[in-house]
């Protein structure tokens, strides 16, 4: 058993014991805990330190560990926050309560034994943790590691993002951001006035819908098919709404995994240009391909600033590597820089330095190659298991990149009811309704094949999903 799992097990035991004690009662000594539970002194020390940090116990050197006073632990009498109802009056909660975390943010801890197929991140064993640690250590040793960073970001990092985009993109076109979600929020606020329409693919990333609504924008759905967004309907939507902003994910779309067809890529940009609108290209999954060719970003072939490009390192690396970039040309970049100076001045330099270190080493390329192999294997395992266990669920086309399978459910099977039933059977999944800006045309489920510990867990998850589905019929 690993140190972390031993600590969690001991913590659970001690929390139950403390719940039955009175404030001031003394806990067993460290020596007694080691002998009673068969753990090491480091595990005991970590567990006691965690309980002390939570305010559950207090430690007295030379005396022992005691149950903390109840008020110090949690405060039995909650404060009165009713005054906030008046202070927040006039702010429509619907514009800011949309929950991006429902689909892609940090999920609530699932019950023990649950196979996670929800969320939008890699399992820890797919993340380059060793390379990340080494990069952060090297970055910390730089003499200027804690100096103020430029508002637009470190020059070497901007150059790396520019090279990744290709075409005529240069470092001067790059603004380093704190991940993709913050960049979306900043961009929506910078480009469109509150009350304006925002065209989005339907379905789309729920975090984009949440950021749009928080900025006061009105998401307007544009239907997609197996080749991505339809240019004819996009042109109709621009004409009908007068929108000046279109958000899309042309490569390994979330949630469907679709890649915008080659014949449509120029058409979509041309439609936006003709409308005098910006096209926001969310390229979050460029490093999540499964080993095949990945098309050039739209921004690589755009010379007049129609395309505003977003990218991020959080998906292929780690949720805590909150480093991304916006690529833009013209006055919109100057506006984004002005917002940066209002919002947060600059992105923490040590994290930028660590990103430069990570992306500049052979370890990053090795990680991306091994990640592509792992994602391809996991995608095939889950798709095959679902086809065997649930043949009436529809997977239109296995994705060539990304982290998810997007499945249409049989008529009469509600996605929310299914996800609740799945949770009771030990599987966490995302209901499809959260990915639509308006009424869903059908019921869907999104499954993350990269969140489980091992590929074998995906086969078990498919079996549990079948059991959950049959329990509802």
């Amino acid at each position: 058993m690993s140190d972390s799992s031993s600590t969690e097990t001991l913590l659970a035991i001690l929390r139950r014991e403390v719940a039955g004690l009175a404030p001031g009662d003394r806990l067993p000594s460290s020596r007694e805990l080691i002998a009673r539970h068969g753990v090491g002194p480091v595990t005991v020390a970590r567990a006691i330190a965690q309980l002390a940090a939570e305010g559950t116990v207090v430690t007295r050197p030379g005396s022992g560990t005691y149950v903390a006073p109840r008020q110090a632990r949690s405060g039995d009498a909650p404060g009165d926050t009713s005054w906030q109802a008046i202070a927040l009056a006039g702010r429509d909660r619907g514009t800011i309560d949309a929950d991006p975390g429902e689909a892609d943010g940090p999920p609530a801890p699932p019950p023990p034994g649950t196979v996670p197929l929800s969320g939008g991140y890699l399992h820890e064993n797919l993340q380059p943790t060793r390379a990340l640690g080494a990069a952060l250590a090297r970055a910390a040793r730089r003499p200027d590691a804690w100096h103020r960073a430029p508002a637009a970001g470190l020059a070497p990092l901007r150059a790396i993002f520019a090279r990744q985009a290709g075409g005529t993109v240069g470092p001067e076109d790059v603004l380093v951001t704190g991940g993709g979600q913050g960049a979306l929020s900043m961009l929506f606020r910078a480009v469109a006035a509150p009350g304006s329409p925002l065209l989005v693919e339907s379905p789309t990333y729920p975090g984009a819908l949440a950021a749009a609504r928080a900025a006061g924008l009105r998401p307007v759905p544009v239907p997609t098919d197996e080749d991505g967004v339809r240019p004819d309907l996009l042109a109709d939507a621009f004409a009908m709404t007068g929108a000046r902003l279109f958000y899309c994910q042309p490569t390994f779309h979330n949630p469907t995994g679709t890649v915008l067809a080659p014949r449509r890529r120029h058409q979509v940009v041309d439609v936006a240009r003709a409308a005098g609108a910006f096209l926001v290209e969310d390229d979050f999954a460029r490093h999540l391909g499964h080993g095949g060719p990945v098309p050039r970003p739209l921004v690589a072939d755009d010379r007049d600033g129609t395309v505003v490009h977003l990218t991020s390192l959080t998906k292929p690396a780690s949720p805590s590597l909150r480093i991304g970039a916006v690529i833009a040309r013209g006055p919109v970049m100057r506006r984004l820089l002005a917002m940066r100076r209002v919002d947060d001045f600059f992105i923490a330099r040590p994290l930028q330095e660590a990103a430069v270190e990570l992306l500049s080493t052979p370890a990053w390329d090795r990680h991306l190659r091994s990640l592509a192999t792992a994602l391809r294997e996991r995608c095939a395992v889950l798709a095959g298991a679902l086809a065997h266990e649930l043949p009436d669920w529809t997977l239109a086309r296995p994705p060539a990149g990304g982290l998810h399978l997007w499945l249409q459910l049989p008529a009469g099977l509600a996605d929310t009811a299914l996800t609740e039933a799945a949770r009771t059977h030990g599987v966490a999944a995302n209901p499809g309704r959260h990915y639509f800006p308006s009424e869903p045309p059908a019921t869907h489920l999104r499954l993350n094949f990269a969140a489980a510990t091992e590929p074998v867990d995906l086969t078990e998850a498919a079996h549990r999903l079948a059991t959950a589905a049959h329990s509802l019929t």
Side-chain angles (χ1 to χ4, degrees):
M1 182 180 293
S2 67
D3 289 342
S4 60
S5 59
S6 298
T7 302
E8 290 299 324
T9 300
L10 182 58
L11 270 171
I13 294 171
L14 293 179
R15 287 187 180 116
R16 288 195 297 270
E17 292 183 0
V18 168
L21 299 175
D25 285 352
R26 186 178 184 275
L27 271 65
S29 67
S30 296
R31 183 175 299 177
E32 291 173 304
L33 292 175
I34 292 169
R36 181 185 302 176
H37 300 290
V39 295
V42 173
T43 298
V44 171
R46 287 177 176 171
I48 295 298
Q50 178 63 33
L51 292 176
E54 296 170 358
T56 303
V57 301
V58 292
T59 57
R60 299 171 186 166
S63 176
T65 303
Y66 298 84
V67 179
R70 189 171 299 277
Q71 185 174 0
R73 280 213 308 269
S74 58
D76 289 334
D80 181 7
T81 60
S82 57
W83 64 272
Q84 294 185 6
I86 300 172
L88 294 172
R91 179 58 160 148
D92 180 8
R93 67 186 293 266
T95 65
I96 56 177
D97 264 3
D99 184 8
E102 180 70 29
D104 284 313
T114 297
V115 180
L117 301 182
S118 59
Y121 296 113
L122 302 173
H123 188 273
E124 289 179 5
N125 61 21
L126 295 178
Q127 298 172 17
T129 52
R130 182 172 298 179
L132 282 165
L136 192 60
R138 291 193 300 271
R141 290 195 294 269
R142 293 188 175 189
D144 56 353
W146 292 97
H147 291 185
R148 176 176 177 144
L154 298 183
L157 187 55
R158 297 167 70 195
I160 290 172
F161 281 125
R163 286 197 301 271
Q164 289 180 354
T168 60
V169 175
E172 68 279 3
D173 303 319
V174 178
L175 172 67
V176 176
T177 66
Q181 188 65 31
L184 270 178
S185 176
M186 178 173 63
L187 183 60
F188 288 162
R189 288 182 289 118
V191 174
S196 301
L198 166 69
L199 304 187
V200 299
E201 298 161 309
S202 182
T204 191
Y205 166 48
L209 297 177
R213 289 169 178 144
L217 307 185
R218 296 185 291 107
V220 177
V222 182
T224 60
D225 58 23
E226 64 275 8
D227 289 327
V229 68
R230 290 179 49 181
D232 57 333
L233 296 181
L234 178 63
D236 290 345
F238 273 124
M240 293 174 62
T241 64
R244 292 294 180 265
L245 192 59
F246 171 50
Y247 167 82
C248 63
Q249 304 166 89
T251 304
F252 309 136
H253 173 270
N254 177 14
T256 66
T258 300
V259 175
L260 186 62
R263 67 183 182 278
R264 291 187 179 181
R265 299 180 82 83
H266 288 294
Q267 293 175 359
V268 166
V269 177
D270 289 343
V271 167
R273 183 180 295 114
F278 289 102
L279 185 155
V280 177
E281 177 188 25
D282 190 344
D283 202 27
F284 76 98
R286 174 150 301 273
H287 298 303
L288 299 177
H290 296 176
V294 180
R296 281 160 60 95
L298 301 181
V299 74
D301 299 310
D302 172 56
R303 293 179 175 272
D304 56 12
T306 297
V307 178
V308 178
H309 178 90
L310 305 181
T311 187
S312 172
L313 299 178
T314 59
K315 298 296 185 183
S318 165
S320 287
L321 187 60
R322 307 301 302 174
I323 291 291
V326 173
I327 296 174
R329 294 182 171 97
V332 68
M333 174 58 84
R334 293 192 288 273
R335 182 172 294 190
L336 290 169
L337 276 169
M339 293 197 71
R340 156 61 49 76
R341 295 184 177 98
V342 171
D343 284 356
D344 51 14
F345 295 113
F346 57 89
I347 302 301
R349 184 164 189 145
L351 205 56
Q352 292 192 62
E353 297 280 12
V356 172
E357 290 283 351
L358 177 68
L359 299 178
S360 302
T361 63
W364 178 245
D365 291 332
R366 288 195 299 269
H367 164 65
L368 294 182
R369 288 194 296 271
S370 64
L371 178 61
T373 301
L375 293 179
R376 183 172 64 249
E377 176 190 4
R378 285 165 173 259
C379 180
V381 168
L382 183 56
L386 290 169
H388 174 73
E389 296 279 358
L390 294 154
D392 54 343
W393 291 17
T394 303
L395 175 63
R397 180 188 298 172
L403 308 177
H404 309 107
L405 294 183
W406 179 247
L407 297 123
Q408 183 173 329
L409 304 179
L413 185 57
D415 55 354
T416 51
L418 176 60
T419 53
E420 286 299 319
R423 190 173 180 85
T424 64
H425 286 82
V427 179
N430 294 123
R433 68 182 59 235
H434 299 295
Y435 299 83
F436 292 92
S438 59
E439 294 79 8
T443 55
H444 294 81
L445 202 67
R446 195 197 71 167
L447 305 177
N448 180 357
F449 49 78
T453 306
E454 299 292 344
V456 68
D457 297 329
L458 301 173
T459 302
E460 173 62 22
H463 177 70
R464 295 182 187 182
L465 279 172
T467 303
H470 294 153
S471 72
L472 298 174
T473 59

